[in-house]
């Protein structure tokens, strides 16, 4: 879109989980309607207190304030765990997202990748406690999704996301979006930097099953583009011109923003929509991306995640392989090597942090 972003106001459905057991049919209906027509919704009355969310944000901020050398002691690997910085390249931008993240899981993939208490006392225990609370919210949503899809077993999806299993792939992702460099805006009006575009998180759809996102007041930027029809040659033609416009997601105190991932869209035969979204810098970028139409092949959760790791972190995986080969060569010569990751400094006018829990599925 050479003329810049087109915006339209859309309401993000707000779904209360209060009295879940007695209102389960009503909640299921509301949730599935949102999943079919928007792909995004927000849940309230989920039993996670705002103070607990604020405490998790504070702990996340403490982690990201640590020196990169410390964070690099828990490096990202293809199990979708660990810390990375500016390593996720979106197909929509061809450039790394301007952020760093720390992926945390429940099971065996975290061996050796929990930050030690010498750096942040109690970090692991506090994260796991929050992750288990969020898992219970996720399980309620998975029950409704299974009911909405007509499964006889309400726990069908829950059983495949059992956090007690060492192979569980559910992720809590701590995110820090970097500050916007001074003098650089997304419209490329700075004559000295005409080839640069600033992307906190380029337009994309999540590859997993379901994402739950916490936001902080005053740290806006999340935008969605509903109406992604992957089974058509024109992704937005079926829903009209407005479907090609973006909508800002405004912060609502006490809510958790949720979105359907590509895996659930595939498993539901495109009934539930994996919506394109992005995190904008304070000013807009030219040239929006909406994704290409494609058919969804049969795939397991494990295969889906492996492909996603290969696609979105290809550069980082190549770097890790090169590092391993270098280490093997040096070890053969009597030496050794230490894994490092590139880092860069950002000057700024604003920054933000976020925490997201992704449910990739292990079925």
């Amino acid at each position: 879109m050479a003329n810049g972003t087109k915006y339209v106001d859309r309401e993000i459905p707000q779904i209360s989980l209060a009295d879940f057991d007695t209102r389960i049919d009503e909640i299921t209906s509301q949730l599935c309607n949102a999943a079919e027509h928007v792909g995004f919704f927000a849940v309230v009355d989920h039993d996670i207190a705002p103070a607990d969310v604020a405490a998790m944000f504070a702990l996340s901020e403490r982690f990201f304030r640590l020196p990169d050398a410390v964070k690099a002691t828990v490096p990202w690997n293809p199990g979708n765990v660990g810390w990375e910085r500016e390593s996720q390249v979106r197909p929509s931008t061809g450039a790394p997202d301007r952020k760093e993240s720390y992926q945390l899981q429940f099971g065996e993939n975290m061996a050796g990748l929990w930050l030690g208490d010498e750096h942040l006392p109690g970090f692991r225990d506090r994260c796991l406690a929050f992750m288990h609370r969020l898992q219970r919210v996720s399980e309620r949503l998975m029950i409704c999704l299974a009911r909405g899809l007509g499964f006889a077993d309400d726990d069908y999806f829950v059983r495949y996301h059992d956090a007690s299993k060492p192979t569980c792939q559910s992720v809590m992702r701590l995110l820090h979006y970097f500050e916007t460099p001074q003098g650089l805006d997304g419209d490329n009006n700075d004559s000295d930097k005409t080839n640069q575009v600033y992307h906190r998180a380029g337009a994309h759809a999540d590859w997993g099953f379901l994402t739950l996102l916490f936001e902080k007041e005053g740290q806006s930027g999340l935008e969605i583009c509903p109406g992604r029809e992957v089974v058509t040659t024109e992704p937005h033609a079926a829903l009209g011109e407005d479907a090609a416009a973006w909508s800002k997601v405004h912060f609502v105190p006490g809510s958790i923003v949720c979105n359907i991932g590509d895996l659930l869209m595939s498993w539901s035969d495109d009934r539930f929509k994996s919506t394109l979204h992005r995190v904008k810098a304070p000013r807009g970028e030219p040239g929006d991306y909406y994704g290409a139409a494609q058919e969804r092949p049969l795939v397991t959760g494990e295969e889906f995640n492996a492909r996603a790791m290969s696609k979105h972190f290809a550069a980082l995986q190549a770097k890790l392989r090169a590092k391993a080969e270098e280490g093997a060569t040096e070890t053969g010569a009597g030496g050794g090597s230490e894994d490092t990751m590139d880092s860069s400094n950002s000057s700024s006018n604003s920054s933000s942090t976020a925490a997201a829990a992704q449910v990739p599925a292990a079925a």
Side-chain angles (χ1 to χ4, degrees):
M1 296 179 62
N3 295 325
T5 297
K6 175 182 178 180
Y7 286 102
V8 62
D9 289 331
R10 292 184 176 94
E11 181 180 356
I12 305 299
Q14 302 283 319
I15 301 172
S16 171
L17 300 185
D19 302 319
F20 182 81
D21 292 337
T22 58
R23 294 181 53 245
I24 189 168
D25 289 337
E26 175 189 354
I27 295 170
T28 294
S29 176
Q30 293 174 353
L31 191 154
C32 290
N33 183 66
E36 287 184 31
H37 296 103
V38 184
F40 263 77
F41 53 91
V43 296
V44 296
D45 302 320
H46 44 68
D47 296 331
I48 300 180
D52 295 332
V53 176
M56 190 66 241
F57 269 117
L59 184 61
S60 174
E61 290 173 7
R62 290 179 63 193
F63 170 80
F64 289 119
R65 288 194 191 108
L66 293 170
D68 281 0
V70 173
K71 291 178 285 189
T73 63
V74 289
W76 181 91
N77 71 38
N80 198 26
V81 291
W83 173 75
E84 60 81 26
R85 178 184 175 118
E86 295 184 296
S87 298
Q88 189 168 12
V89 179
R90 305 286 184 186
S92 62
T93 64
D97 286 350
R98 300 298 180 89
K99 71 176 189 315
E100 59 181 330
S101 65
Y102 186 18
Q103 279 78 231
L104 308 173
Q105 294 184 15
F106 292 103
E108 61 191 13
N109 284 345
M110 287 299 295
L113 291 174
W114 280 106
L115 187 73
D117 280 353
E118 67 273 21
H119 302 298
L120 279 180
F123 179 83
R124 174 177 179 170
D125 291 342
R126 292 178 63 186
C127 286
L128 281 172
F130 189 85
M131 290 164 66
H132 279 290
R133 295 189 66 185
L134 189 53
Q135 179 74 6
R136 289 193 287 272
V137 178
S138 301
E139 288 173 355
R140 288 185 169 186
L141 301 181
M142 285 188 277
I143 288 171
C144 292
L145 292 167
R147 289 170 67 93
L149 289 172
F151 286 95
D153 180 5
D154 287 358
D155 291 332
Y156 182 84
F157 292 131
V158 173
R159 287 189 287 106
Y160 288 110
H161 298 85
D162 185 349
S164 68
K165 292 182 178 179
T167 56
C168 179
Q169 298 180 57
S170 294
V171 173
M172 182 169 78
R173 189 183 201 195
L174 308 181
L175 289 164
H176 172 216
Y177 295 107
F178 292 134
E179 299 162 322
T180 305
Q182 297 280 358
L184 174 62
D185 67 40
D187 292 323
N188 287 342
N189 293 327
D190 187 328
S191 60
D192 294 329
K193 301 177 180 179
T194 55
N195 293 322
Q196 297 188 43
V197 178
Y198 193 88
H199 300 277
R200 280 184 166 164
H204 66 283
D206 291 347
W207 67 70
F209 184 88
L210 179 69
T211 299
L212 288 77
L213 175 72
F214 292 93
E215 298 180 288
K216 292 184 69 176
E217 187 171 10
Q219 296 185 355
S220 61
L222 177 62
E223 298 179 356
I224 66 171
C225 186
R228 180 167 173 254
E229 299 284 352
V230 301
V231 296
T232 64
T233 56
E234 297 294 334
H236 301 282
L239 296 181
E241 183 180 355
D242 278 352
W246 291 84
S247 298
K248 298 178 184 293
V249 178
H250 300 290
F251 171 77
V252 176
S255 69
I256 305 175
V257 177
C258 308
N259 65 276
I260 304 301
D262 285 347
L263 182 57
L264 180 55
M265 184 168 182
S266 174
W267 282 355
S268 67
D269 289 336
D270 294 349
R271 176 181 168 187
F272 297 154
K273 300 299 186 287
S274 177
T275 298
L276 287 161
H277 54 285
R278 64 189 182 187
V279 179
K280 290 289 292 287
R283 302 191 184 194
E285 303 96 346
D288 296 321
Y289 173 85
Y290 302 108
Q294 57 183 304
E295 284 290 342
R296 299 290 184 186
L298 293 175
V299 64
T300 67
E302 183 177 3
E303 292 168 339
F304 211 96
N305 289 335
R307 294 175 189 175
M309 291 298 98
S310 177
K311 176 180 179 181
H312 294 282
F313 290 97
L316 181 54
Q317 292 193 55
K319 184 175 182 178
L320 293 176
R321 284 194 297 270
K323 207 64 174 172
E325 292 171 0
E326 178 185 345
T329 301
E330 294 183 1
T331 299
S337 66
E338 179 181 357
D339 285 340
T340 59
M341 298 186 69
D342 290 337
S343 61
S344 60
N345 296 321
S346 299
S347 59
S348 70
N349 53 33
S350 67
S351 66
S352 65
T353 57
Q358 295 182 330
V359 185

